[in-house]
Amino acid sequence: MQFDDDAALDTSEVQDNRGGARGGIPGGGKTVGGGVVGLLVVIASVVFGVDPGLLSSGGTSDSAARSGGSQGVAPGDLAANCRTGADANKKDDCRIVAVVDSVQAFWKQTETAAGKSYTQAPTLLFTDRVNTGCGEATSEVGPFYCSADDKVYLDLGFFDELTGKFGAKGGPFAEAYVIAHEYGHHIQDLSGTISRGSGQGENSGSVKLELQADCYAGVWTHHATTTPDPASGKPLITDLTRADITVGLDAAAAVGDDRIQQKYQGKVTPDTWTHGSSAQRQQWFTKGYTSGAVSACDTFA
């Protein structure tokens, strides 16, 4: 995945709270996703008998280790260090900014599945734990979207867990898939579909909601190299290869309910699924990617 070196990044769409204030403030709204894993990790601790601490990055709370690595930038310096697509091609944090910019530019021009105007939703980067409109959350839940404050929450350390704990190949487009999935939940929120995601089981509303978000991620991917950057009028993403799509599909499979259950409880119990199987997640991402149509993503039909 490559970005236009000369493109200007809009860092206002990413709020950097890594190493920021802590403490819990109960909230309302719906927390969904963990796009890829999200609340599945917490559910694992209850249903599977797995300690969420076992799924964190080696139990570390070291902020530097969870903030983008050697190719990242210091917390709070996004505006100064992430100015162009060239920065996104070099630095992990700046790549996150570029992906968020691209995803939101696409949905802005496409509007929502219900035809309503798109409302910008920032991504907030955090370390270890964070206060949200939906209450306090920790890194163990993975990336997630909160409907109460219309934000995507992401601890960059999750991408290390995606490869180390869940066995995904990882890489830039695997990260982009995660982000695009979370913005799929924002589209569901704007469209009113988010209220249909509840329950457990392979045919539950929760699974259908997650699979639809996977499909929406695929739709964005289909259009990623042709979506114009609002500032320049040129696509921010200049190249997506078949190899990029393959790692995205690999990430989707790595966090299927069946694969996680087999790994952590030694058996598969479809009646407790909340996100869908590996095959389902790949299937719906592929459907969105090949069709490029929001209308192809009706998992509730």
Side-chain angles (χ1 to χ4, degrees):
M1 182 170 66
Q2 289 291 315
F3 301 93
D4 177 4
D5 281 344
D6 297 325
L9 299 185
D10 180 4
T11 57
S12 69
E13 296 187 24
V14 179
Q15 301 171 0
D16 195 353
N17 194 43
R18 288 171 292 175
R22 300 177 180 179
I25 302 176
K30 185 179 180 69
T31 306
V32 289
V36 178
V37 180
L39 302 182
L40 183 58
V41 175
V42 172
I43 292 171
S45 70
V46 177
V47 179
F48 307 164
V50 176
D51 179 356
L54 297 177
L55 306 184
S56 64
S57 297
T60 181
S61 59
D62 185 295
S63 298
R66 301 176 63 86
S67 300
S70 60
Q71 291 182 310
V73 301
D77 288 346
L78 291 181
N81 291 280
C82 301
R83 296 180 179 275
T84 68
D87 296 324
N89 286 323
K90 298 174 185 175
K91 304 171 186 176
D92 298 342
D93 314 51
C94 301
R95 183 170 63 246
I96 300 301
V97 173
V99 170
V100 170
D101 286 354
S102 174
V103 171
Q104 297 221 78
F106 169 69
W107 286 114
K108 180 65 177 178
Q109 75 171 26
T110 306
E111 301 302 341
T112 71
K116 298 179 182 178
S117 297
Y118 181 76
T119 302
Q120 298 292 101
T123 285
L124 188 145
L125 304 180
F126 70 98
T127 305
D128 297 329
R129 64 181 65 249
V130 64
N131 295 326
T132 82
C134 297
E136 184 182 22
T138 68
S139 299
E140 280 78 7
V141 304
F144 64 93
Y145 170 75
C146 172
S147 66
D149 56 20
D150 296 326
K151 290 182 182 180
V152 171
Y153 290 87
L154 173 64
D155 184 330
L156 296 183
F158 169 76
F159 295 128
D160 294 329
E161 297 176 8
L162 185 60
T163 56
K165 301 295 182 181
F166 297 101
K169 295 176 182 177
F173 189 73
E175 298 172 7
Y177 155 70
V178 173
I179 294 167
H181 174 108
E182 294 310 329
Y183 276 94
H185 288 310
H186 181 52
I187 298 303
Q188 292 168 329
D189 190 16
L190 294 175
S191 304
T193 312
I194 201 167
S195 63
R196 302 176 69 180
S198 62
Q200 294 183 4
E202 54 188 320
N203 294 313
S204 67
S206 294
V207 167
K208 293 176 181 179
L209 196 75
E210 296 299 334
L211 295 179
Q212 186 177 64
D214 280 334
C215 187
Y216 286 162
V219 172
W220 163 73
T221 303
H222 177 96
H223 297 280
T225 58
T226 59
T227 298
D229 172 65
S232 68
K234 299 189 299 181
L236 177 57
I237 296 176
T238 59
D239 186 45
L240 274 179
T241 66
R242 183 63 215 174
D244 290 323
I245 306 305
T246 298
V247 299
L249 288 168
D250 174 73
V255 291
D257 282 338
D258 53 340
R259 188 172 296 187
I260 292 177
Q261 287 182 337
Q262 187 63 50
K263 180 178 180 66
Y264 289 103
Q265 72 176 14
K267 62 180 180 179
V268 177
T269 53
D271 60 328
T272 63
W273 287 2
T274 57
H275 283 60
S277 69
S278 295
Q280 287 176 312
R281 302 200 71 164
Q282 289 187 321
Q283 173 194 345
W284 281 100
F285 174 85
T286 300
K287 191 169 186 176
Y289 173 61
T290 56
S291 70
V294 172
S295 60
C297 297
D298 188 1
T299 56
F300 292 90

